[in-house]
Amino acid sequence: MASTIGFGIDIGGSGMKAAPVDLSDAGKLAEDRFRISTPTPATPEAVAGVVVELVQHFGWEGPAGIALPSVVRNGVVHSAANIDDSWIDVDAKALFSSVLGQDVVVMNDADAAGLAEMSFGAGAGRQGVVMALTFGTGIGSALFVDGHLVPNTELGHLEFKGESFEKWAAASARKRDDLSWKKWAARVSTYLQTIDALFSPDVVIVGGGASKSADKWVPLIDARPEILVAEFANSAGIVGAAMASSGA
Ligand code: BGC
C-alpha cells in the first residue's frame, strides 16, 4: 500500500511536539518526533512562531493538524485553561494557515488523542460509548459514540469541591501534592465514578503522560467501566491531529 503521510503538532503547556505520521501504517510516526519548549508567555504570535520552526525542522510542505488544550469550534479558540488567556476568540485556523501558507485543521488536544486511539490504538473497533481521557497537566476528554467523536466535552472541568476536577485528579496534582500512586489512584477512581454516573461509558481509555506508568496505578482503579490503557501515550495528539488534517 502506498504510504500516506500526514503531519501533526501537539501544543501543550510546557512543550510543543510534532512529527510526520504514516497514516497507512497504524499511525506510526514516520520520523522521530521533535519538541520545542512552549514559549512564555504562550501568546498566539509566539506559539505560531514555534509552529513554523517545527514544520521547517521536518521540511514539511503539506497540510498540518494542530492540537490545542482548548475548546476549538470551526478553528476558533474558546477556552484557555492551561494556555495564555490571549488565545480566547483567536481564529487559530486562520493564524496558523497564514504563517504556514498551508491548510490546517485545529482541534482540541484530547479529541486528537482520542481519535488516534479509536483508529489505531486501544479503542480500535470499539462501538458503544467510549470515553478517552488524558491525565497530564490537566485532564482532557474525548467522547465517542459508535466511533463518532462528540468534540469539546472538556470533562476535566466537571466541578468537584468548588473547583475543576482536573485540579485535584490530573497527573500534575499527584506531583504537586506528593501523593503515592495509591492515593492518586483513589482520586482518579472518584473521578471515573463521576464520569460513570453521568455517561455510563462501556469503555474508558486512560492516556496522557500518566499512561507511561500505567502499571503503577491502573490496577488500583476502583470504577465500574472497562478500563483500557492508551497505546500511543504522548504521541496520540500528534497522530490524531495528523489524521484530521488528511481527512483520514
Ligand atoms: C483543557 C482541555 C484539554 C485538557 C488536556 C484542560 O485544562 O481545558 O481543553 O484537553 O486540559 O490538555
Side-chain angles (χ1 to χ4, degrees):
M1 197 208 276
S3 75
T4 311
I5 306 290
F7 192 85
I9 303 176
D10 191 2
I11 300 175
S14 59
M16 297 177 48
K17 295 164 284 185
V21 178
D22 190 343
L23 300 170
S24 59
D25 186 14
K28 286 208 184 96
L29 301 191
E31 289 182 53
D32 286 347
R33 72 181 184 178
F34 184 62
R35 178 188 189 278
I36 298 180
S37 293
T38 308
T40 38
T43 58
E45 294 68 30
V47 167
V50 176
V51 162
V52 171
E53 276 184 65
L54 289 167
V55 166
Q56 283 173 349
H57 172 85
F58 292 98
W60 178 257
E61 291 182 341
I66 302 177
L68 275 170
S70 310
V71 170
V72 184
R73 275 197 314 270
N74 300 318
V76 178
V77 173
H78 291 284
S79 73
N82 290 313
I83 53 169
D84 199 78
D85 282 348
S86 56
W87 276 96
I88 303 268
D89 291 338
V90 166
D91 187 336
K93 182 176 166 63
L95 171 68
F96 293 136
S97 58
S98 91
V99 292
L100 293 176
Q102 292 287 344
D103 272 352
V104 301
V105 171
V106 185
M107 65 192 303
N108 174 262
D109 59 352
D111 286 344
L115 273 184
E117 293 297 335
M118 292 303 285
S119 301
F120 300 121
R126 297 301 297 243
Q127 297 293 299
V129 177
V130 180
M131 186 72 77
L133 300 171
T134 60
F135 292 86
T137 308
I139 297 178
S141 62
L143 172 62
F144 293 85
V145 182
D146 290 338
H148 297 286
L149 172 67
V150 181
N152 294 313
T153 43
E154 291 288 328
L155 297 175
H157 296 288
L158 285 174
E159 196 181 308
F160 183 69
K161 296 184 177 171
E163 279 194 313
S164 277
F165 235 119
E166 69 175 14
K167 291 269 180 302
W168 187 70
S172 57
R174 185 183 69 81
K175 293 183 188 146
R176 183 197 62 217
D177 296 346
D178 200 17
L179 300 176
S180 63
W181 288 106
K182 193 171 166 210
K183 288 223 163 90
W184 182 63
R187 291 190 181 185
V188 175
S189 298
T190 302
Y191 178 63
L192 296 182
Q193 287 157 13
T194 305
I195 292 283
D196 186 28
L198 293 169
F199 297 95
S200 297
D202 298 297
V203 179
V204 174
I205 301 172
V206 294
S211 60
K212 282 185 290 184
S213 319
D215 55 327
K216 297 204 169 72
W217 59 277
V218 173
L220 306 175
I221 292 293
D222 173 20
R224 184 207 53 86
E226 179 183 356
I227 311 271
L228 300 175
V229 177
E231 290 175 13
F232 283 96
N234 272 346
S235 299
I238 295 175
V239 174
M243 286 172 54
S245 77
S246 79

